Amino acid sequence: MRFNFDLQDPNLTQRRSVTPKEEVEWVPLQNHPIFSSTTTTTTTEDLASTPATSSPRNLVAWDGATRLYFWDSNKRCLHRISIRLGEPQPTSVLASSPSKVLQADVQLNFVVHKISINRNGSAILLAGSDGLCVMYLYGRNSTEENAIICRTVTVGSQLYSNGSNAIRMLQVSWHPYSDTHMGILSSDSVFRLFDLSSDLLLPEQEYYLQPVEPGRSRNVTSICPVDFSFGGDHLWDRFSVFVLYTDGSLYILCPVVPFGSFYKWESILEIYSDAHTFGLKSANSTAVSNSNLAISWLEATFPELANPEAEGGDLSMLRAHPYALFDASISLQGPLRTVCHGGDENLAVRVAECEGRAVSFLYNLVSKDSILVTAWSGGQLQIDALADEIQPVWNLDSPPRLRVDPNDQVLGLAMICESIEGELPIVKLDQPLDHTFWLGHPPPLLRLAIVDLALPRETDSGSLIMLFADPLMPERLFSLHEGGIDSIVLHFLPFTNQTRGKDETMRTPSVHPILSTCQGENPVQSPLCGFVSLSDSFGYSWIVGVTVCQECVVLEMKTWNLLLPLHVDMDKSISLQEQKERDVPDIISKELLLGPKAILLPQAQPNLRSVAADSIEGRQTLHQYFKLFHENYVEYAHKVHFEIKHHGPQLKRIIDDQHARLVGAQRNLQKVEDKQSSLEERIDRATQLHNFLEQRLQRLRSLPGVHKKPLSRAEREFKSELEHFSGVELDALHSSIDALAARLRRHTQSPKGNLSNQQRQMSGKKNLAHDVHISQLKSSLEKLSLVNSENSKRVKIVESALKSQESSRF
C-alpha cells in the first residue's frame, strides 16, 4: 500500500512545526540563559518586600539522573534542563540550552514555595502555603506558547485550597516507597496520606495527632506540629513517620504504610522473624501481646508471609494490602527522651536546650544509625541518634474509622493517635534487650552534638533553616538559611562504629561554610531560593544554589578525604641537621665528594731501586703502577668532569633563582623604607584618635543614664518569659484558634446531602453526642479567645510597667 502526502498541505506543515528542531548547545550550568541576570525581573524592592518570616523556599529539583527542574516564579512555568555530570572534565557540569518549558494546563492560584519530584520521575509537586498541585511531566506540545502543556491536578482542594480556610500545609513530601502517595502535615495537627491514583480530594489515611491529654498541656507550643519526615530503609523505620513540634519534642507514628506500596521480601521477613524471636519467646506478657499485634498486622498487610507457597515461593517484592486493626489505633510514641549515661541521672523530657523554636527536621540513615537533626530558629542544630530500635505500638479499645467499598475492601481510614499515659522507665545504655524490647516504650535518643551556625540575628522570629542530606556521602548534611549554605560532617556514629569494630571516642561534627550571602552590614544581599545536591557514579559531588535573582552557583564538593582523621606521628622526632639535609638538593653525589678511593700498592721488591727503568722488570712495574693510577684517579677525574658538566645548568638555575629572590627582597626592603614615613604618620594619627576617644569616653561616663540599675535575675527571667510568650506562644495560640475555627466552619457548612445521609445512618444517641461535641468545640473556642485576650492585656500591662520603670530611672 502506498501513501501520497501533499507537501504543500498547510495542516501537515502546522503539525510538523509543533516540535521544531532547535540546535542544542551545551554550556556550563551556571552560565545557562535562564540563570542570567538579564532574564529576571526581580528588583531590590521585591527583595525588600519579601518577609523574613515567610516559608522557606526550594524551587530546584533533580530526578537523580540527567534532568534538573527549576520553577520560574516570574513566568510561572517549570524549566526542564538536561545536564551532563563530569563532561568534558570530571569536575564540570554542563547543561543543554535552550531548556524545555513545561506549562500547567490550569491556572495556579497560589505562590509556589517548594517543588519535589517523585521516585520514578513522572510527576512533580508544586506546593505553597495556600495550595498544592501535582504536574505530570509528560504532556503535549503547544505552538502558541512554545511550551509543553502538562496535566496538572489539585490535591485536597476541599481542605487546603479554599480561600476562607485557615488550615495551612506545614510540610509536604513524597513517600519513599510509592510513586503516587504523598504525606501532608497541616496546622490542624492532622497527618494525611493521599493516593493520587485513586482519589485527589479525600485522603487515603488520616491521623489526628494528640500528643498530650486535653486540658493538660504545659504550653501551646507542645501541641503545634511544625515538620515531619518519613523513616529510612531500616527495620521498622521504613514504616515510621517522625513528627516535630514547635517546642522541639519528637513523636513517632508506627506503622504507617501506603496501600499498594512495595517493599523488599528480605526486609519484611527480617522484622517478621524478629517479632517471633524477641517478642513471642519473651517472658514478659506485655512484649508477647505487642509482638502478637505486630505479627497479625504483618500477616494481614503482607499475606505472603503466612503462606509463601501459595504466592509462588519466588518473591522479591511484596505489595502492601489495605488493612487496619479494627479495635486499636496507632499510638503516638513520644516525646522521645534522652538516654542516661549514669545511674543517678533523671530522664528529663527533651526540652528546648536551644534558642527560639524548632523550625525543621531531618531523618537520615547512615549505615546502622538513625540520625535525627532538629533545626532551631536561634541558628542551632540538635543532632541525635536513636539508641534503640523502633517497634509498632497500638492503643487498644480505640477503634479507627474505616471507609470500605461494597466488597468490604478498605479504601481509607482515620484514627486518633494519642500518646501513652504514665511515667516511662529510665533507659540506660547498659540495659539488656529484655528490659526494652517489645514493651511499647518509645526509643530513647543519644545526644551526639549541638551545632551553632552563628547566624545573623535580623528578625525577632529567628532564622528559617532547611536541612538536606548528601546523596553520595550520608555522613554529610547541608543546611540552607538566609545566610547561605553550611556543610556538617558527622565523625562519630555510635552503632556503625561498633559493628565495624572501631572503639573511637565521641568526636564533634565539623562545620564548613560553603556559600555565604552575607556581605558587609547588609546580611541578606541575595538570599537563596533553591538548592540541590548532585552526584555521579564516579564519586564526584556538586551543590547547586539559585538566588531570588535567578543567579546560579555551582560548587564542587570534596568527599574522599573528609572522614580521614588527621594523624601525626609524635614519637618520631626529626633533628635540625636531618631537616637541613632533606631540604638541600643533591648537586654532586656524596661518592664524588668523598674523593677517590684509597688503593693498595703492591709490595715493592728490595732491589726495586737498582732496577733500570728500561729493563723488562722496570717496565712491568711502571705498567702496573700506571694501570692502578688510571683505574682510580683518571676515572675519578672523568666522573667529576661529567657530573660538573651535567649539573651546570641546574646550578645556573639555582643561582638565578637565588639572585631573583635577592632582588625581590631588596625591592621589598625598599618599599618598606618608602612606607616607613607614612606608617609613622598613621601611628601618630591613631594615637591622637585614641586619646580623643578616651576623653569622649570619660565624658560619656559622667552622664546620668549610665548609672542606671541593671535588671535583677528575677526581672531578666520574667523578661525572657515575656519574649518567649510574645514570639512563640501567641503565634501557636493564634494558629490553634484558626485551625479550630476552620474545622468548625467546615463542619457547619457541610453539604446538605451529606448531612441527610449521616442523619439516616446515625441513631438518636449519636446525634445527641454529635451536638454535644459541637457545643464543646464552641465552648473551647470561646475559652481560647478569652485566654488570648486576657494574655494580650497582661502583656500590654507588663510592657507599660517596664517602660514606666525605665523612664523613672532616667
Side-chain angles (χ1 to χ4, degrees):
M1 185 178 293
R2 179 176 298 176
F3 297 93
N4 295 323
F5 293 99
D6 186 6
L7 298 179
Q8 303 298 326
D9 187 4
N11 296 327
L12 180 61
T13 305
Q14 184 178 2
R15 287 195 298 270
R16 287 182 176 180
S17 63
V18 170
T19 57
K21 295 183 179 180
E22 299 180 355
E23 295 184 359
V24 177
E25 181 183 2
W26 293 93
V27 298
L29 180 59
Q30 60 270 21
N31 298 333
H32 199 277
I34 66 171
F35 295 131
S36 62
S37 58
T38 57
T39 60
T40 179
T41 58
T42 306
T43 61
T44 56
E45 288 79 3
D46 297 331
L47 296 177
S49 62
T50 303
T53 59
S54 61
S55 301
R57 296 190 294 171
N58 189 16
L59 305 180
V60 181
W62 179 47
D63 65 348
T66 60
R67 289 181 175 180
L68 191 70
Y69 295 89
F70 170 68
W71 175 259
D72 193 339
S73 301
N74 301 318
K75 300 180 181 178
R76 303 181 68 83
C77 64
L78 187 68
H79 293 275
R80 187 180 68 194
I81 308 170
S82 299
I83 59 175
R84 291 178 178 175
L85 301 177
E87 293 184 11
Q89 298 179 356
T91 59
S92 61
V93 179
L94 297 182
S96 62
S97 177
S99 62
K100 298 294 183 181
V101 179
L102 308 182
Q103 196 76 37
D105 60 350
V106 296
Q107 185 178 2
L108 302 183
N109 298 323
F110 59 90
V111 179
V112 177
H113 291 160
K114 174 186 177 181
I115 67 173
S116 177
I117 195 168
N118 64 346
R119 189 177 56 173
N120 62 0
S122 61
I124 193 168
L125 65 86
L126 309 174
S129 59
D130 299 329
L132 173 63
C133 289
V134 173
M135 177 186 291
Y136 293 93
L137 300 177
Y138 302 97
R140 65 182 187 279
N141 295 326
S142 174
T143 56
E144 298 179 358
E145 301 179 1
N146 194 18
I148 301 175
I149 305 301
C150 298
R151 175 173 170 261
T152 306
V153 297
T154 304
V155 181
S157 58
Q158 295 181 354
L159 295 172
Y160 311 113
S161 301
N162 190 3
S164 60
N165 200 349
I167 300 178
R168 297 178 293 105
M169 287 183 294
L170 303 176
Q171 182 61 274
V172 184
S173 178
W174 291 100
H175 198 280
Y177 294 98
S178 176
D179 298 325
T180 60
H181 284 81
M182 64 171 56
I184 302 176
L185 180 65
S186 53
S187 59
D188 57 347
S189 297
V190 180
F191 174 75
R192 297 177 175 90
L193 204 61
F194 283 85
D195 184 8
L196 305 183
S197 61
S198 61
D199 199 336
L200 298 174
L201 299 179
L202 295 178
E204 178 186 271
Q205 302 176 37
E206 286 184 293
Y207 300 93
Y208 292 83
L209 310 179
Q210 190 169 318
V212 293
E213 188 177 353
R216 293 189 179 182
S217 78
R218 299 183 304 273
N219 48 38
V220 183
T221 57
S222 62
I223 59 174
C224 293
V226 63
D227 199 357
F228 83 94
S229 178
F230 292 108
D233 191 12
H234 176 71
L235 298 180
W236 287 96
D237 289 20
R238 58 178 58 89
F239 301 141
S240 301
V241 179
F242 297 83
V243 183
L244 174 69
Y245 282 79
T246 311
D247 63 345
S249 57
L250 271 175
Y251 291 85
I252 299 176
L253 285 174
C254 180
V256 176
V257 179
F259 298 159
S261 56
F262 289 90
Y263 299 87
K264 296 179 182 179
W265 163 260
E266 294 83 1
S267 302
I268 305 302
L269 186 61
E270 182 181 7
I271 60 177
Y272 185 67
S273 303
D274 176 79
H276 279 86
T277 304
F278 296 98
L280 294 182
K281 298 180 181 180
S282 176
N284 194 312
S285 59
T286 304
V288 174
S289 176
N290 292 334
S291 59
N292 271 323
L293 289 176
I295 291 172
S296 62
W297 181 86
L298 284 172
E299 291 178 349
T301 306
F302 305 100
E304 298 84 356
L305 292 174
N307 191 8
E309 291 80 8
E311 302 295 335
D314 185 13
L315 299 173
S316 59
M317 301 294 291
L318 298 182
R319 182 176 180 272
H321 291 252
Y323 177 74
L325 297 178
F326 290 94
D327 58 345
S329 297
I330 297 176
S331 173
L332 187 62
Q333 303 182 44
L336 304 187
R337 308 183 179 204
T338 306
V339 70
C340 284
H341 296 272
D344 298 332
E345 293 185 20
N346 293 325
L347 185 63
V349 179
R350 172 179 169 148
V351 295
E353 297 177 350
C354 304
E355 299 179 5
R357 68 186 191 281
V359 293
S360 63
F361 173 76
L362 174 67
Y363 171 93
N364 189 29
L365 181 64
V366 186
S367 187
K368 298 294 184 180
D369 289 274
S370 299
I371 305 299
L372 311 179
V373 185
T374 303
W376 294 79
S377 60
Q380 295 85 22
L381 300 182
Q382 189 169 287
I383 304 176
D384 301 310
L386 288 180
D388 201 351
E389 302 295 344
I390 300 174
Q391 282 93 34
V393 181
W394 285 270
N395 287 328
L396 300 178
D397 299 330
S398 178
R401 181 178 179 182
L402 302 179
R403 188 173 73 251
V404 297
D405 60 2
N407 298 325
D408 292 336
Q409 295 292 328
V410 178
L411 299 178
L413 59 89
M415 62 180 66
I416 299 176
C417 302
E418 300 175 331
S419 59
I420 299 178
E421 300 180 3
E423 293 292 333
L424 296 178
I426 297 177
V427 181
K428 302 175 184 178
L429 289 176
D430 54 352
Q431 281 185 348
L433 294 177
D434 298 340
H435 293 264
T436 58
F437 231 50
W438 291 104
L439 297 180
H441 301 156
L445 297 175
L446 179 62
R447 180 64 46 79
L448 298 183
I450 294 180
V451 178
D452 191 355
L453 300 178
L455 300 182
R457 306 293 179 86
E458 289 299 314
T459 58
D460 296 335
S461 60
S463 303
L464 296 177
I465 303 174
M466 299 181 67
L467 300 173
F468 303 89
D470 192 342
L472 183 63
M473 182 180 171
E475 293 87 354
R476 179 165 55 190
L477 312 172
F478 296 106
S479 62
L480 174 64
H481 44 78
E482 62 268 20
I485 303 173
D486 292 331
S487 169
I488 300 96
V489 180
L490 303 178
H491 298 285
F492 177 75
L493 301 170
F495 300 103
T496 302
N497 295 345
Q498 184 179 4
T499 55
R500 294 175 180 175
K502 297 181 180 180
D503 188 12
E504 297 181 357
T505 58
M506 181 176 292
R507 296 175 56 194
T508 58
S510 59
V511 183
H512 306 279
I514 299 176
L515 181 63
S516 177
T517 58
C518 299
Q519 299 178 1
E521 297 180 355
N522 190 3
V524 186
Q525 295 287 341
S526 184
L528 297 173
C529 66
F531 173 84
V532 70
S533 178
L534 309 177
S535 61
D536 62 0
S537 58
F538 297 100
Y540 290 94
S541 177
W542 302 265
I543 62 169
V544 179
V546 179
T547 65
V548 294
C549 299
Q550 291 188 207
E551 295 176 347
C552 181
V553 179
V554 181
L555 299 175
E556 181 193 1
M557 302 301 298
K558 300 294 184 182
T559 58
W560 66 270
N561 59 348
L562 284 181
L563 297 179
L564 295 178
L566 180 62
H567 179 72
V568 180
D569 192 357
M570 302 300 296
D571 297 334
K572 185 177 180 180
S573 59
I574 301 175
S575 62
L576 184 61
Q577 184 67 23
E578 292 178 354
Q579 186 67 29
K580 289 183 178 180
E581 291 180 358
R582 290 184 180 183
D583 295 340
V584 176
D586 294 334
I587 304 301
I588 300 178
S589 62
K590 296 181 179 179
E591 182 182 358
L592 296 181
L593 293 177
L594 293 176
K597 296 180 180 179
I599 59 176
L600 297 176
L601 297 176
Q603 186 176 2
Q605 298 179 1
N607 57 352
L608 183 62
R609 294 182 179 273
S610 62
V611 176
D614 55 351
S615 64
I616 296 176
E617 292 83 359
R619 290 180 181 179
Q620 185 179 359
T621 303
L622 289 176
H623 178 72
Q624 187 177 2
Y625 278 101
F626 277 121
K627 185 179 179 181
L628 292 174
F629 177 79
H630 184 272
E631 288 179 355
N632 289 276
Y633 296 99
V634 176
E635 289 184 3
Y636 174 76
H638 281 293
K639 290 181 181 179
V640 172
H641 174 73
F642 176 77
E643 289 221 9
I644 291 176
K645 183 179 179 181
H646 177 71
H647 290 288
Q650 185 177 358
L651 289 172
K652 186 177 183 303
R653 286 195 300 269
I654 293 175
I655 293 173
D656 294 340
D657 180 63
Q658 296 291 340
H659 182 69
R661 292 174 63 184
L662 178 61
V663 173
Q666 292 177 352
R667 190 182 300 110
N668 292 334
L669 289 174
Q670 186 63 34
K671 289 182 180 179
V672 171
E673 291 177 358
D674 296 339
K675 293 181 179 179
Q676 183 178 2
S677 59
S678 61
L679 289 175
E680 291 178 353
E681 294 178 358
R682 293 176 63 183
I683 291 173
D684 294 337
R685 289 197 300 268
T687 304
Q688 295 177 2
L689 180 61
H690 177 71
N691 297 331
F692 173 73
L693 291 177
E694 281 188 349
Q695 295 176 2
R696 188 176 180 183
L697 182 60
Q698 293 295 334
R699 291 195 298 267
L700 290 175
R701 286 176 178 174
S702 61
L703 295 177
V706 179
H707 303 285
K708 65 179 182 180
K709 183 180 179 182
L711 296 177
S712 63
R713 181 178 180 181
E715 291 174 341
R716 289 195 302 269
E717 292 178 356
F718 183 65
K719 184 179 180 182
S720 63
E721 290 180 0
L722 288 178
E723 292 175 352
H724 177 74
F725 185 84
S726 60
V728 178
E729 297 280 342
L730 285 180
D731 295 339
L733 191 61
H734 283 303
S735 62
S736 301
I737 293 174
D738 295 339
L740 285 175
R743 292 175 63 180
L744 181 61
R745 190 185 308 111
R746 181 159 48 87
H747 185 80
T748 55
Q749 295 178 357
S750 60
K752 295 182 179 179
N754 294 339
L755 290 176
S756 61
N757 293 333
Q758 293 179 1
Q759 289 175 0
R760 286 194 299 267
Q761 295 177 1
M762 289 184 175
S763 61
K765 280 186 177 180
K766 292 184 178 180
N767 287 331
L768 181 59
H770 191 63
D771 295 338
V772 171
H773 184 60
I774 292 177
S775 62
Q776 289 179 354
L777 285 176
K778 290 182 178 179
S779 61
S780 300
L781 183 61
E782 293 176 356
K783 290 180 180 179
L784 284 174
S785 302
L786 292 175
V787 170
N788 187 19
S789 60
E790 291 178 359
N791 290 333
S792 301
K793 291 179 181 178
R794 291 176 181 176
V795 170
K796 292 181 180 178
I797 292 172
V798 172
E799 288 180 351
S800 61
L802 289 175
K803 290 180 180 179
S804 61
Q805 288 181 3
E806 291 179 357
S807 59
S808 63
R809 288 173 183 173
F810 283 105

